[in-house]
Amino acid sequence: MDIKEFERPSRPSNREANAITRESLFEALLILVEKKPFEKITVSELVKRAGVSRTAFYRNYDSITQIVEERLFGLLDTLRASLAEPHYAADMRSWYFDMLTYLKENHAFMLEILLRATHADFLEMRVLGGVYEKMAKLPDKRLGYTAFNGAAREMLTHWVLGGCAGDVGEISDMLYKLQKLCFE
């Protein structure tokens, strides 16, 4: 018999183990948030549900909110990258439509968690960069940006809290018309 038959299976690296822990914590958070408000979830019940130790939690995060922020930054990076695509520069209405469709189809449940965990701060249009960041910084466009940001944030908040229901085309049209009204 060859000695290799008795070798132990390799353990995941620390990096792989941390990735598994983070995924387990996020999945557990999704389950818990269905049962109680985000603000009421404790680290103790989260780690129990995820099947990880408190040490593993604190090796990866300082707070439960960081779990959500990690997912949020990934989502924002995706949206920023799409906004930078040349064909959207000339057709923002299409970007709104594609963005809302993508969010509705892939992140509807997570959006409500993000909304509650960040107090809707992730809906600040400036974080997407591009046209919004520029408008927020220009003195002659700042008032228009403020109006657009407030209205868009309110509209998107209601859309998310409503389970992303409603016609994406209509919402896209409203955002596009609002942008034109506020920035032109």
Side-chain angles (χ1 to χ4, degrees):
M1 207 179 265
D2 190 355
I3 190 96
K4 288 188 177 191
E5 289 181 37
F6 296 104
E7 285 184 15
R8 297 175 112 189
S10 63
R11 293 183 53 199
S13 68
N14 285 342
R15 182 186 210 166
E16 292 168 330
N18 285 339
I20 292 167
T21 297
R22 287 192 303 277
E23 188 62 32
S24 297
L25 288 165
F26 180 71
E27 292 298 324
L29 182 59
L30 291 178
I31 291 166
L32 290 173
V33 87
E34 286 186 44
K35 298 175 183 177
K36 65 194 300 185
F38 176 84
E39 305 81 30
K40 303 265 187 206
I41 296 171
T42 66
V43 171
S44 294
E45 66 187 325
L46 180 61
V47 298
K48 182 177 179 182
R49 180 70 187 169
V52 301
S53 69
R54 288 178 73 84
T55 303
F57 174 86
Y58 286 111
R59 187 175 337 141
N60 289 277
Y61 302 107
D62 293 327
S63 68
I64 295 174
T65 301
Q66 276 190 327
I67 297 170
V68 175
E69 289 171 348
E70 180 179 77
R71 293 297 171 122
L72 172 62
F73 294 140
L75 179 59
L76 288 174
D77 287 344
T78 299
L79 296 176
R80 268 189 220 107
S82 72
L83 187 58
E85 291 178 22
H87 66 278
Y88 287 132
D91 188 6
M92 283 299 292
R93 195 251 175 232
S94 289
W95 183 78
Y96 290 126
F97 183 85
D98 292 348
M99 175 209 44
L100 292 172
T101 301
Y102 169 76
L103 293 173
K104 183 176 185 172
E105 291 175 356
N106 299 291
H107 300 288
F109 183 67
M110 191 174 78
L111 287 174
E112 186 170 350
I113 297 170
L114 293 171
L115 187 76
R116 295 185 190 287
T118 66
H119 306 288
D121 286 345
F122 82 100
L123 293 175
E124 171 77 32
M125 296 293 125
R126 185 176 43 221
V127 301
L128 292 173
V131 66
Y132 307 117
E133 191 171 44
K134 292 173 192 162
M135 295 299 177
K137 291 179 180 178
L138 295 173
D140 61 327
K141 300 287 185 179
R142 200 169 290 139
L143 188 58
Y145 168 77
T146 301
F148 174 77
N149 186 64
R153 186 175 175 164
E154 189 69 16
M155 187 186 314
L156 292 171
T157 296
H158 286 286
W159 181 65
V160 168
L161 292 177
C164 299
D167 184 84
V168 171
E170 286 180 23
I171 299 166
S172 301
D173 287 342
M174 284 189 272
L175 287 168
Y176 180 68
K177 288 174 185 174
L178 180 63
Q179 177 183 325
K180 291 194 84 51
L181 178 69
C182 292
F183 294 148
E184 294 179 3

